[in-house]
Amino acid sequence: MRAQIPIACVRIRMTNRDNVVTYHFSHDGGKNWTLHDHRMEISGLHHSMFGDFVSLHIGIYSAGEGSIRLRDFHYRAL
């Protein structure tokens, strides 16, 4: 289990390039970005895998004690 780290604000950046989603996060307001360990290949999740053409939608999930607030959400097509 990870240690509890009190953080007031976390910025998350997700990028989908060539159907590979990459995650970055920043604890200092977006000045320095850290690449998250995991990347996902998603081509099978949004194109004809489940019987029709659909598109991915972003979802936010939070677990454990405390609360989160989502704000300043931006979506930009590359």
Side-chain angles (χ1 to χ4, degrees):
M1 182 175 230
R2 291 184 181 177
Q4 294 286 332
I5 301 172
I7 299 172
C9 180
V10 177
R11 289 182 184 241
I12 300 170
R13 181 172 62 196
M14 296 179 3
T15 307
N16 177 2
R17 293 196 185 182
D18 298 322
N19 291 317
V20 176
V21 174
T22 307
Y23 306 92
H24 292 82
F25 61 91
S26 172
H27 296 287
D28 60 5
K31 295 176 186 172
N32 297 298
W33 291 94
T34 302
L35 176 65
H36 193 272
D37 298 0
H38 303 287
R39 294 179 180 186
M40 278 203 287
E41 202 287 322
I42 58 167
S43 63
L45 296 177
H46 67 88
H47 182 64
S48 301
M49 187 71 172
F50 299 109
D52 200 4
F53 185 82
V54 295
S55 62
L56 291 175
H57 291 69
I58 295 173
I60 304 294
Y61 173 77
S62 174
E65 295 182 13
S67 63
I68 64 167
R69 178 175 40 170
L70 180 63
R71 63 180 182 180
D72 297 331
F73 175 80
H74 299 278
Y75 173 83
R76 287 191 307 254
L78 297 177

